[in-house]
Amino acid sequence: MAHGQGRTNTTVAIIGAGFSGTCTAIDLIKRNQCRDFVILEKGLEVGGTWSDNTYPGCCCDVQSHLYSYSFEPNSNWSREFPTQAEIQRHMVSVAEKWGLYRHIRFNSTVSEGRWNEERKKWDIAVNIGSGKEAEYGEQYTLKADFLISGVGQLNQPYYPEIRGLENFSGKVMHSARWDWTYPINGKRVAIIGNGATAAQIIPEVAKQAISLTVFQRTPNWVVPRNDTAISVSRRTAYHYIPAIRKRYRSQLMDMREDFFQAASVPDTKEKDGIRKDCLEMMARSIPSNTELRAKLTPVYPPGCKRVICSDDFFPALNRSNVTLQTDPIEQITRTSISTSGKRSHEHEIDCLILATGFKTQQFLFPMEIYGSQGRSLSDVWKEAPSAFRGVNVESMPNFGILYGPNTNLGHNSIVLMIEAQSRYLNALIGKVIAAKKAGLLLALSPKPAVIESYNKWLQERLQKSTFADPRCQSWYKTAEGRILNNWCGTVVEYQQMMSKVQWQNYEIEDPGNFMVSRGAFDQIGRVVEESSFLQKSLDGVLIGSSVLFAGAFLWPRTRL
């Protein structure tokens, strides 16, 4: 139940308790001094994708100290790249610190949101899945002045349409719905997919399965992850000298922003670096199998699909119990997978793992959202999902999306984008809250012409990026080549764009004339994390300080 409010009324309703939803809630508390909000979470714990995905080897391909909120640093990350369990534990601790649990309604799924023109409110249909709360009713309507979607792009698993899949008599698991009660040990296992998720699962399953067959459609560029444990002395220094930790985060930010040239810009020397790193690692890991190396070498440029970071993917594929299959899958029978090609083959298996990703281009699916004049989101997006700056949608007043269309990244931490979006949307929410306190009704929605102009500029720039290269298909884009998921620039560019709200971009329904500065803008700023010249010049001082501190702190303990 929302603090200070009844069960069915709130100022802000947030869908999802992952990085997006919890960030929005914390900003409501920090920036708007508002605790009148409800978080509707379909699962049983905070974490979003990091609560849903628990498959073997699940981890993040962005460094721990950058894949976390800037305002909630964690000095105690155990590794350079965080595991799923460690990310989820950290998110739980952040939710506990900010008192979010009293606002979260778990096991609650939103089926519909409908804008009420007269009351200037959202009517949100909430389904309760199971448990004690379901005894009091399986569905209810929550009314909110502002509706926020924090469901992101990676929440609905995609199941491939393969003939005979429904007839398979063995175990079938999607990577996002892993069943830990099923023992892999000693089984004949097949994995469909070889993207970032599969690259994490394959090395772990290969250690246990009697045989593992990996079905690959197209190969990926893979670069060394170089994951290592973070020493106790470093963690201690990060804790007691925050400037060192902040400087390290800035260095990670710089490195990731530089990677934009490799991931997104065609024909750069950075792309040549990725090719070189990948092929050298492949040669080290698979020294004597030229046929396997050829199958694993892409023909498209790095960045067209997401570059994979892994230290153990290639060695796993070179194991004697692992087979890479590149022939097309013809059908699945009760006990096997049949392939077609020069030589058809039948692979007998006990377990099938679907590492086939998510329904990335069906944003908010399967929710139904109806805005002004009953217009549905599916109608607004009948040609393609699009949003103003990725957060606001035409005909949807007092509505915001985090990690929405064209806000995904191929080079940096999505948490940096989420923070900018949360700050921006909280500026809009702040106006609605202020109007409500004055006894007025306020509705804000982006102008259609503004959305059209913004997306025209965005798509023109994206068509010049590596993402648009026709030599590969990826979840970034449609079959026709329109890029729906990715942002066109660096994180800093996006943060700068989101650092102010220009009110002339919005249609303002304001009977009380509450918004008096319609032609002005609100400067809301941004979190500056990239290195400045001064920071770089102080690196030597910080390094020296950390060495002295570590020595002073650890020397007595070493003697003991």
Side-chain angles (χ1 to χ4, degrees):
M1 183 176 294
H3 181 60
Q5 283 289 319
R7 178 179 173 81
T8 57
N9 288 278
T10 190
T11 297
V12 182
I14 301 169
I15 308 172
F19 266 106
S20 296
T22 54
C23 187
T24 304
I26 292 169
D27 273 340
L28 274 169
I29 298 168
K30 289 195 307 180
R31 302 185 180 282
N32 284 312
Q33 294 75 52
C34 174
R35 276 199 172 270
D36 181 16
F37 61 87
V38 170
I39 302 175
L40 300 163
E41 168 55 45
K42 68 178 181 181
L44 299 176
E45 188 52 276
V46 301
T49 191
W50 299 107
S51 179
D52 290 345
N53 291 268
T54 62
Y55 57 80
C58 185
C59 55
C60 184
D61 58 3
V62 175
Q63 289 87 344
S64 311
H65 281 274
L66 195 59
Y67 197 83
S68 48
Y69 297 133
S70 63
F71 54 84
E72 280 297 339
N74 176 17
S75 300
N76 205 38
W77 290 112
S78 65
R79 303 195 65 81
E80 291 291 352
F81 292 84
T83 63
Q84 170 269 333
E86 196 164 13
I87 294 172
Q88 210 262 333
R89 284 197 301 270
H90 178 60
M91 294 190 71
V92 168
S93 69
V94 171
E96 289 175 340
K97 176 182 174 180
W98 286 92
L100 299 185
Y101 275 90
R102 57 178 165 161
H103 298 273
I104 303 174
R105 299 179 185 176
F106 293 109
N107 215 11
S108 299
T109 303
V110 173
S111 59
E112 179 183 289
R114 191 177 291 270
W115 176 251
N116 186 298
E117 300 276 6
E118 184 180 349
R119 291 185 288 107
K120 299 290 186 286
K121 282 182 178 288
W122 285 95
D123 293 329
I124 304 153
V126 183
N127 297 305
I128 302 172
S130 61
K132 186 173 70 174
E133 285 194 349
E135 296 175 11
Y136 303 102
E138 296 181 354
Q139 186 182 82
Y140 66 94
T141 299
L142 177 67
K143 296 176 175 58
D145 300 290
F146 213 105
L147 176 60
I148 294 287
S149 169
V151 301
Q153 300 181 11
L154 309 176
N155 65 91
Q156 289 291 329
Y158 170 72
Y159 290 85
E161 296 180 2
I162 301 174
R163 184 160 63 95
L165 176 59
E166 69 281 1
N167 299 325
F168 182 62
S169 61
K171 180 67 175 180
V172 179
M173 287 190 286
H174 193 282
S175 58
R177 300 292 183 265
W178 193 268
D179 182 0
W180 281 96
T181 66
Y182 180 82
I184 294 292
N185 190 43
K187 298 293 194 302
R188 299 169 298 176
V189 181
I191 294 181
I192 297 178
N194 71 318
T197 297
Q200 295 174 4
I201 295 175
I202 288 167
E204 300 302 316
V205 171
K207 297 173 187 175
Q208 304 176 57
I210 190 171
S211 68
L212 172 61
T213 305
V214 178
F215 290 87
Q216 171 187 283
R217 187 169 56 182
T218 53
N220 292 279
W221 290 105
V222 183
V223 295
R225 183 181 179 83
N226 297 323
D227 186 26
T228 58
I230 299 177
S231 67
V232 173
S233 58
R234 273 181 64 194
R235 284 184 267 170
T236 304
Y238 291 153
H239 179 75
Y240 287 100
I241 310 179
I244 298 174
R245 173 183 43 72
K246 290 178 182 177
R247 183 68 194 105
Y248 180 54
R249 182 172 167 113
S250 292
Q251 289 172 333
L252 293 175
M253 173 72 165
D254 295 344
M255 179 187 72
R256 285 285 178 170
E257 286 290 81
D258 288 343
F259 191 63
F260 175 76
Q261 295 294 320
S264 308
V265 182
D267 303 322
T268 61
K269 63 180 181 180
E270 288 83 2
K271 275 186 168 25
D272 294 334
I274 288 180
R275 291 187 181 96
K276 180 173 180 292
D277 289 345
C278 178
L279 296 176
E280 286 181 352
M281 181 169 63
M282 196 188 301
R284 290 193 305 270
S285 305
I286 311 171
S288 57
N289 193 334
T290 56
E291 182 181 355
L292 179 57
R293 293 203 304 269
K295 288 181 178 180
L296 291 168
T297 303
V299 297
Y300 57 85
C304 188
K305 298 172 69 174
R306 187 175 181 92
V307 176
I308 294 174
C309 301
S310 177
D311 298 323
D312 51 7
F313 177 60
F314 288 147
L317 290 173
N318 199 40
R319 291 174 62 110
S320 60
N321 66 325
V322 178
T323 302
L324 180 67
Q325 179 58 253
T326 57
D327 289 336
I329 295 175
E330 184 176 18
Q331 69 171 340
I332 297 175
T333 70
R334 291 186 69 257
T335 60
S336 66
I337 298 179
S338 298
T339 56
S340 60
K342 292 181 180 179
R343 292 177 299 174
S344 60
H345 191 75
E346 193 166 339
H347 305 266
E348 294 286 336
I349 59 172
D350 305 304
C351 173
L352 174 57
I353 298 169
L354 303 175
T356 48
F358 299 86
K359 297 177 179 178
T360 57
Q361 296 174 8
Q362 293 177 269
F363 297 86
L364 279 72
F365 179 87
M367 287 182 282
E368 297 286 348
I369 307 295
Y370 300 91
S372 297
Q373 300 177 343
R375 190 179 183 193
S376 68
L377 186 62
S378 57
D379 177 58
V380 176
W381 284 352
K382 61 185 175 183
E383 293 185 9
S386 63
F388 178 53
R389 299 183 175 179
V391 297
N392 296 131
V393 183
E394 176 187 342
S395 300
M396 301 291 155
N398 295 4
F399 178 70
I401 305 174
L402 288 94
Y403 195 14
N406 294 114
T407 62
N408 184 63
L409 298 173
H411 72 286
N412 208 333
S413 170
I414 193 61
V415 180
L416 305 170
M417 303 286 279
I418 287 170
E419 285 194 33
Q421 293 158 12
S422 175
R423 183 186 288 245
Y424 185 92
L425 289 173
N426 263 276
L428 304 186
I429 294 169
K431 295 295 185 184
V432 174
I433 291 174
K436 185 177 180 179
K437 288 179 179 177
L440 303 171
L441 300 175
L442 176 64
L444 303 167
S445 58
K447 295 177 179 177
V450 168
I451 297 178
E452 184 180 357
S453 175
Y454 170 77
N455 278 282
K456 183 174 183 288
W457 164 81
L458 180 74
Q459 290 299 325
E460 285 175 353
R461 187 169 171 182
L462 282 168
Q463 287 304 314
K464 298 175 184 177
S465 71
T466 308
F467 308 138
D469 194 295
R471 284 173 285 182
C472 86
Q473 266 299 328
S474 73
W475 62 269
Y476 298 157
K477 59 189 178 184
T478 65
E480 296 73 35
R482 182 183 173 92
I483 299 164
L484 301 182
N485 296 82
N486 283 16
W487 165 239
C488 64
T490 65
V491 167
V492 171
E493 285 181 89
Y494 187 79
Q495 290 174 333
Q496 289 171 339
M497 180 181 72
M498 300 294 278
S499 66
K500 66 180 180 181
V501 180
Q502 296 163 300
W503 297 109
Q504 67 267 26
N505 291 329
Y506 290 86
E507 293 177 335
I508 303 169
E509 296 179 50
D510 181 16
N513 198 31
F514 183 78
M515 294 287 296
V516 293
S517 56
R518 294 171 187 262
F521 64 87
D522 283 356
Q523 189 72 39
I524 56 178
R526 70 181 185 95
V527 180
V528 179
E529 299 195 86
E530 68 275 15
S531 298
S532 65
F533 175 79
L534 177 61
Q535 282 178 312
K536 292 177 180 177
S537 66
L538 290 174
D539 275 357
V541 177
L542 283 173
I543 293 170
S545 299
S546 64
V547 171
L548 289 172
F549 171 80
F553 184 83
L554 295 175
W555 179 71
R557 291 157 178 76
T558 304
R559 289 185 64 193
L560 289 172

